[in-house]
PDB file of all heavy atoms in Angstrom:
ATOM      1  N   ALA A  93      50.949  19.139-111.427  1.00  0.00           N
ATOM      2  CA  ALA A  93      50.132  19.892-110.453  1.00  0.00           C
ATOM      3  C   ALA A  93      49.372  18.867-109.550  1.00  0.00           C
ATOM      4  O   ALA A  93      49.266  19.078-108.339  1.00  0.00           O
ATOM      5  CB  ALA A  93      49.197  20.818-111.170  1.00  0.00           C
ATOM      6  N   PHE A  94      48.861  17.837-110.157  1.00  0.00           N
ATOM      7  CA  PHE A  94      48.099  16.788-109.405  1.00  0.00           C
ATOM      8  C   PHE A  94      49.051  16.123-108.349  1.00  0.00           C
ATOM      9  O   PHE A  94      48.642  16.013-107.208  1.00  0.00           O
ATOM     10  CB  PHE A  94      47.538  15.770-110.401  1.00  0.00           C
ATOM     11  CG  PHE A  94      46.947  14.600-109.744  1.00  0.00           C
ATOM     12  CD1 PHE A  94      45.706  14.654-109.118  1.00  0.00           C
ATOM     13  CD2 PHE A  94      47.609  13.358-109.766  1.00  0.00           C
ATOM     14  CE1 PHE A  94      45.176  13.542-108.562  1.00  0.00           C
ATOM     15  CE2 PHE A  94      47.100  12.255-109.195  1.00  0.00           C
ATOM     16  CZ  PHE A  94      45.792  12.303-108.585  1.00  0.00           C
ATOM     17  N   ILE A  95      50.225  15.754-108.787  1.00  0.00           N
ATOM     18  CA  ILE A  95      51.169  15.077-107.862  1.00  0.00           C
ATOM     19  C   ILE A  95      51.582  16.066-106.779  1.00  0.00           C
ATOM     20  O   ILE A  95      51.695  15.653-105.564  1.00  0.00           O
ATOM     21  CB  ILE A  95      52.327  14.494-108.636  1.00  0.00           C
ATOM     22  CG1 ILE A  95      51.885  13.374-109.556  1.00  0.00           C
ATOM     23  CG2 ILE A  95      53.473  14.030-107.698  1.00  0.00           C
ATOM     24  CD1 ILE A  95      51.275  12.189-108.851  1.00  0.00           C
ATOM     25  N   SER A  96      51.849  17.305-107.159  1.00  0.00           N
ATOM     26  CA  SER A  96      52.267  18.306-106.157  1.00  0.00           C
ATOM     27  C   SER A  96      51.204  18.497-105.131  1.00  0.00           C
ATOM     28  O   SER A  96      51.436  18.561-103.957  1.00  0.00           O
ATOM     29  CB  SER A  96      52.545  19.637-106.880  1.00  0.00           C
ATOM     30  OG  SER A  96      53.623  19.473-107.781  1.00  0.00           O
ATOM     31  N   GLU A  97      49.944  18.602-105.572  1.00  0.00           N
ATOM     32  CA  GLU A  97      48.836  18.721-104.594  1.00  0.00           C
ATOM     33  C   GLU A  97      48.778  17.520-103.679  1.00  0.00           C
ATOM     34  O   GLU A  97      48.617  17.735-102.467  1.00  0.00           O
ATOM     35  CB  GLU A  97      47.504  18.863-105.340  1.00  0.00           C
ATOM     36  CG  GLU A  97      46.306  18.990-104.424  1.00  0.00           C
ATOM     37  CD  GLU A  97      44.987  18.979-105.112  1.00  0.00           C
ATOM     38  OE1 GLU A  97      44.906  18.756-106.313  1.00  0.00           O
ATOM     39  OE2 GLU A  97      43.963  19.191-104.367  1.00  0.00           O
ATOM     40  N   LYS A  98      48.910  16.322-104.199  1.00  0.00           N
ATOM     41  CA  LYS A  98      48.895  15.154-103.331  1.00  0.00           C
ATOM     42  C   LYS A  98      50.017  15.117-102.299  1.00  0.00           C
ATOM     43  O   LYS A  98      49.794  14.853-101.151  1.00  0.00           O
ATOM     44  CB  LYS A  98      48.950  13.863-104.190  1.00  0.00           C
ATOM     45  CG  LYS A  98      47.745  13.567-105.007  1.00  0.00           C
ATOM     46  CD  LYS A  98      46.643  13.251-104.046  1.00  0.00           C
ATOM     47  CE  LYS A  98      45.452  12.627-104.797  1.00  0.00           C
ATOM     48  NZ  LYS A  98      44.351  12.323-103.856  1.00  0.00           N
ATOM     49  N   ILE A  99      51.204  15.503-102.742  1.00  0.00           N
ATOM     50  CA  ILE A  99      52.382  15.479-101.810  1.00  0.00           C
ATOM     51  C   ILE A  99      52.232  16.574-100.710  1.00  0.00           C
ATOM     52  O   ILE A  99      52.418  16.332 -99.569  1.00  0.00           O
ATOM     53  CB  ILE A  99      53.634  15.746-102.627  1.00  0.00           C
ATOM     54  CG1 ILE A  99      53.955  14.488-103.448  1.00  0.00           C
ATOM     55  CG2 ILE A  99      54.803  16.027-101.697  1.00  0.00           C
ATOM     56  CD1 ILE A  99      55.080  14.695-104.420  1.00  0.00           C
ATOM     57  N   ILE A 100      51.768  17.783-101.141  1.00  0.00           N
ATOM     58  CA  ILE A 100      51.593  18.887-100.204  1.00  0.00           C
ATOM     59  C   ILE A 100      50.468  18.541 -99.186  1.00  0.00           C
ATOM     60  O   ILE A 100      50.657  18.758 -98.003  1.00  0.00           O
ATOM     61  CB  ILE A 100      51.337  20.188-100.945  1.00  0.00           C
ATOM     62  CG1 ILE A 100      52.571  20.628-101.665  1.00  0.00           C
ATOM     63  CG2 ILE A 100      50.844  21.277-100.007  1.00  0.00           C
ATOM     64  CD1 ILE A 100      52.365  21.735-102.674  1.00  0.00           C
ATOM     65  N   LEU A 101      49.340  18.025 -99.670  1.00  0.00           N
ATOM     66  CA  LEU A 101      48.281  17.665 -98.743  1.00  0.00           C
ATOM     67  C   LEU A 101      48.687  16.542 -97.792  1.00  0.00           C
ATOM     68  O   LEU A 101      48.324  16.594 -96.659  1.00  0.00           O
ATOM     69  CB  LEU A 101      47.015  17.282 -99.538  1.00  0.00           C
ATOM     70  CG  LEU A 101      46.315  18.446-100.191  1.00  0.00           C
ATOM     71  CD1 LEU A 101      45.095  17.885-100.986  1.00  0.00           C
ATOM     72  CD2 LEU A 101      45.859  19.475 -99.198  1.00  0.00           C
ATOM     73  N   LYS A 102      49.414  15.613 -98.268  1.00  0.00           N
ATOM     74  CA  LYS A 102      49.904  14.547 -97.443  1.00  0.00           C
ATOM     75  C   LYS A 102      50.840  15.083 -96.355  1.00  0.00           C
ATOM     76  O   LYS A 102      50.796  14.716 -95.223  1.00  0.00           O
ATOM     77  CB  LYS A 102      50.622  13.474 -98.294  1.00  0.00           C
ATOM     78  CG  LYS A 102      51.041  12.266 -97.501  1.00  0.00           C
ATOM     79  CD  LYS A 102      51.662  11.219 -98.385  1.00  0.00           C
ATOM     80  CE  LYS A 102      52.104   9.981 -97.607  1.00  0.00           C
ATOM     81  NZ  LYS A 102      52.707   8.998 -98.468  1.00  0.00           N
ATOM     82  N   PHE A 103      51.732  16.011 -96.737  1.00  0.00           N
ATOM     83  CA  PHE A 103      52.690  16.606 -95.796  1.00  0.00           C
ATOM     84  C   PHE A 103      51.922  17.372 -94.713  1.00  0.00           C
ATOM     85  O   PHE A 103      52.234  17.210 -93.491  1.00  0.00           O
ATOM     86  CB  PHE A 103      53.650  17.519 -96.539  1.00  0.00           C
ATOM     87  CG  PHE A 103      54.533  18.282 -95.658  1.00  0.00           C
ATOM     88  CD1 PHE A 103      55.658  17.627 -95.072  1.00  0.00           C
ATOM     89  CD2 PHE A 103      54.332  19.595 -95.367  1.00  0.00           C
ATOM     90  CE1 PHE A 103      56.506  18.357 -94.231  1.00  0.00           C
ATOM     91  CE2 PHE A 103      55.200  20.286 -94.519  1.00  0.00           C
ATOM     92  CZ  PHE A 103      56.254  19.664 -93.955  1.00  0.00           C
ATOM     93  N   PHE A 104      50.933  18.190 -95.074  1.00  0.00           N
ATOM     94  CA  PHE A 104      50.261  18.936 -94.100  1.00  0.00           C
ATOM     95  C   PHE A 104      49.328  18.108 -93.211  1.00  0.00           C
ATOM     96  O   PHE A 104      49.119  18.455 -92.051  1.00  0.00           O
ATOM     97  CB  PHE A 104      49.469  20.099 -94.771  1.00  0.00           C
ATOM     98  CG  PHE A 104      50.312  21.216 -95.100  1.00  0.00           C
ATOM     99  CD1 PHE A 104      50.536  21.561 -96.479  1.00  0.00           C
ATOM    100  CD2 PHE A 104      50.890  22.020 -94.158  1.00  0.00           C
ATOM    101  CE1 PHE A 104      51.391  22.606 -96.761  1.00  0.00           C
ATOM    102  CE2 PHE A 104      51.737  23.085 -94.484  1.00  0.00           C
ATOM    103  CZ  PHE A 104      51.951  23.418 -95.798  1.00  0.00           C
ATOM    104  N   THR A 105      48.717  17.081 -93.761  1.00  0.00           N
ATOM    105  CA  THR A 105      47.862  16.203 -92.921  1.00  0.00           C
ATOM    106  C   THR A 105      48.726  15.408 -91.928  1.00  0.00           C
ATOM    107  O   THR A 105      48.280  15.134 -90.808  1.00  0.00           O
ATOM    108  CB  THR A 105      47.015  15.244 -93.778  1.00  0.00           C
ATOM    109  OG1 THR A 105      47.830  14.490 -94.640  1.00  0.00           O
ATOM    110  CG2 THR A 105      45.983  16.035 -94.540  1.00  0.00           C
TER     111      THR A 105
END
Side-chain angles (χ1 to χ4, degrees):
F94 171 75
I95 294 299
S96 298
E97 178 186 7
K98 288 292 192 183
I99 290 170
I100 290 169
L101 288 177
K102 185 177 181 180
F103 175 76
F104 281 112
T105 55

